[in-house]
Structures are given as structure tokens and as C-alpha cells.
Amino acid sequence: MKKICIVGASGKLGRYMLQHALERGYEVVAVCRPESVPKLEPYREQIRIIPGKTNDREVIREAVKGCSGVLVVLAPWGVQQYSSGTAQAVMDYAEPGARLIFSCGWHISRDGQDRYSWKLKALVTVFGAIARALRLVELKDQVEACARIFASDTLWTVVRGSDLEEGESQGLPIWREHVGDPALASNLTRRIDFALFMVAALEDDSLIRQAPAIVGCQSPSALAHAG
């Protein structure tokens, strides 16, 4: 049984990843904030829980020890370098050769070749400014975190998600190298399937050092461009 760590396991995406990982027989170490530990109560007998902030380097050092893979919810909470601190700690302390899978939104671009709609650009600009002013979210720090990941020589994958919805799984999402590809036009993925893609990426060497932008496999645009 392979041992993996899920950083940010108590959130909606994290719990779906936990579910998929356990179904696949992984031994799981889960990291979450102390106040969120009760959310993991249904899994307590199946996993090891390490409470703490995900950008706490000592918490991450302990959590990733002996893990062959690390799944990271790259949350841009607050204005204290939460995303970049988390990403840096994971890259610094993960075992050599471990697969590191990070989640983020479409707004992250690796090479500047993504093509964004005016709605998405406006949303990021307006929401980012308001959230930053309220000291709730720092999108620029998530950009910084991904820049560090892209520059590293670790076995990383940055999964860039579309808008998310709840619902039963439709299967593994499709992916393209750049936002703006017609196959991604529907801009919608089931959250449970975002998590499925993250877990599946652990065993998919074709995704090493890639930043796939994903969309639901049953979305109209995916079906229109199948194959």
C-alpha cells in the first residue's frame, strides 16, 4: 500500500480526494486546521490526522514523511503567504521522487499562452481586489506559489480547475494544455471529479511537470471535441 499525504483534507475538495484515495487502497495522512478536525470524523479510524496550519513548515515536515505522493489544496486564504508557504514547505520536505499534485484555478498560467474570457478576467480583477482589501484572500500569493512550483525540479503537477458544481461523478475530466481550447469552453466540472483527477494524477507520469486545465468529461464542450 502506498502512503500519501493530503494537505487541506477537511475542505470539500479535500474530503473527495480522501474518499478516492481510500477507495484505491492508499494509506493516508491528512493535514487540516485544528478547528476543522471534526469534519474528518467519519474517516478517523482509516487515516492519520495531523492538525495544523498548512503553511506551518514543521506540520508539513511531519506529514509528508515517508509519503510517495502529496495532494495539496493550494488555498489562497488570508494575506500571510498561505499558498506560497504551503507549496514551499511541501517542496522542501517531500521525499525525493514523490509525486506532488497541487490544485488551483484557471487563472493560473504557466507560459502566458492561455486565452481568458473577459468575464473571467473581470472576476479575478474585481474579486481579487475586494478579497485582498478585506484580508480574506490573496490571489497574487497563489500565483507566486505556482511560479515557485513551475520553477522547481520536483515531480509536480498543477491541476487547474474550471468552475465547480456538486453532483455524482461523471468520470475522469478531460484536460488541455491551455485555457481557451474549445474543448474547455463549458467551464464546468463536478467537484468530485476534480478530486478524482488529482488522485489519478499520482499514477499518471504523462502529467509530470504539466499544468492541465480540466473540464467535466460530460460537459457539452468536452463531448463536442471528444477524441
Side-chain angles (χ1 to χ4, degrees), residues 20-222:
H20 289 309
L22 290 174
E23 288 174 354
R24 284 159 176 73
Y26 286 108
E27 176 186 352
V28 178
V29 179
V31 179
C32 70
R33 293 177 299 173
E35 60 269 31
S36 297
V37 169
K39 295 181 181 180
L40 299 178
E41 185 62 33
Y43 305 100
R44 180 174 291 276
E45 300 302 318
Q46 300 172 271
I47 65 177
R48 178 188 176 197
I49 302 173
I50 298 183
K53 292 184 177 180
T54 67
N55 63 342
D56 184 321
R57 292 178 63 82
E58 291 307 311
V59 167
I60 295 299
R61 184 204 294 265
E62 175 64 21
V64 302
K65 189 181 305 180
C67 293
S68 61
V70 185
L71 301 171
V72 185
V73 179
L74 208 56
W77 306 129
V79 290
Q80 298 177 335
Q81 293 73 56
Y82 207 80
S83 290
S84 58
T86 299
Q88 193 64 59
V90 168
M91 291 188 291
D92 287 346
Y93 294 129
E95 298 287 347
R99 285 289 279 118
L100 310 181
I101 318 297
F102 300 88
S103 72
C104 68
W106 271 4
H107 65 285
I108 298 296
S109 182
R110 180 185 181 188
D111 56 14
Q113 295 185 38
D114 298 277
R115 303 188 306 278
Y116 299 108
S117 69
W118 68 268
K119 289 183 179 180
L120 180 58
K121 289 189 285 187
L123 178 64
V124 170
T125 300
V126 174
F127 171 76
I130 293 174
R132 179 69 175 81
L134 295 175
R135 304 181 68 80
L136 297 175
V137 169
E138 178 56 280
L139 292 181
K140 289 184 179 179
D141 186 55
Q142 195 177 65
V143 173
E144 168 64 21
C146 289
R148 296 187 190 187
I149 296 166
F150 296 153
S152 79
D153 59 1
T154 60
L155 302 184
W156 57 265
T157 300
V158 174
V159 183
R160 300 182 292 154
S162 64
D163 289 346
L164 300 177
E165 66 173 356
E166 295 299 331
E168 295 183 0
S169 175
Q170 296 178 325
L172 192 69
I174 68 162
W175 71 276
R176 295 292 186 268
E177 189 173 356
H178 295 109
V179 176
D181 188 293
L184 304 178
S186 294
N187 186 25
L188 195 62
T189 308
R190 297 278 170 92
R191 185 175 275 105
I192 192 171
D193 293 332
F194 189 143
L196 177 62
F197 194 97
M198 294 278 290
V199 174
L202 289 167
E203 305 290 343
D204 188 346
D205 288 350
S206 71
L207 291 173
I208 292 176
R209 301 196 180 104
Q210 295 283 348
I214 67 173
V215 76
C217 65
Q218 295 300 312
S219 64
S221 61

